[in-house]
Amino acid sequence: MRPTALSPLLQYMAAPDTDDHARLFILQCVNDILTPYYLPDIKPMLESEDQVIRAIGVTAISTIEDPAVVPLLKEARQDDRPRVAFSALSGLAMQGDEDARQEMTRLYVENETMGDIPEIQIKREVVRALVRDAQAEDLPLLKDALNQPWVEVNYRAAIVRALGRLGAEEDIPLLEESLDLQNEDAYGKLVRQAIESIQERQGQA
């Protein structure tokens, strides 16, 4: 028997008469806790005639770790609607597809857009995709994004954690500078921990 606690929410999210803002709110609430058990609830969204529902369905499966996800994302990558295709590209990057990660980096660096998707939305999604499992080669982009005012709070924190794990002593001023944009106690503690991790790692080198 598969878990069904989130199924009513996913079904509501897929309903044709559901408001787009409600869909996005539900997606933000559940996206990081979805498991392969919920794929049957999400798959119908990928076949919807509504591009918004398709794009949300693609985003919903992007964080699910299951062999069935990548083929679904590759199929969605061929969608003729830019928002759906871009969501699929982001999903493939999150799934570790190297070509997708490189393409996301290129979009960020070259300030490119896709269809009617605003440049800032592109950049936010690139950060979201790459910081999920950040690698050393992602650091230049993530450092550029850290102190941008358009970066969302949770992804700024994720960048800090990535720098704590992979960064160097030269990145410490950048981390300290980020406190000017976000000075909550929890964020300050996170920055201090990242700096300490860098200093410990440098001391062991």
Side-chain angles (χ1 to χ4, degrees), residues 49 51 54 75-85 115:
E49 294 182 0
Q51 65 163 323
R54 293 202 305 278
E75 183 176 350
R77 182 76 181 94
Q78 305 306 314
D79 197 289
D80 61 358
R81 296 291 186 168
R83 289 179 183 273
V84 181

Side-chain angles (χ1 to χ4, degrees), residues 87-134:
S87 295
L89 176 66
S90 175
L92 287 167
M94 282 190 268
Q95 292 285 329
D97 184 290
E98 191 56 37
D99 289 341
R101 293 178 72 85
Q102 290 179 11
E103 177 64 7
M104 291 290 273
T105 300
R106 187 189 68 78
L107 289 172
Y108 184 101
V109 171
E110 298 183 7
N111 299 312
E112 277 205 24
T113 58
M114 292 181 66
D116 62 347
I117 309 174
E119 180 185 325
I120 292 302
Q121 189 175 334
I122 294 276
K123 287 183 177 290
R124 281 178 178 154
E125 187 61 24
V126 170
V127 170
R128 174 178 175 269
L130 297 186
V131 81
R132 183 174 175 83
D133 184 26

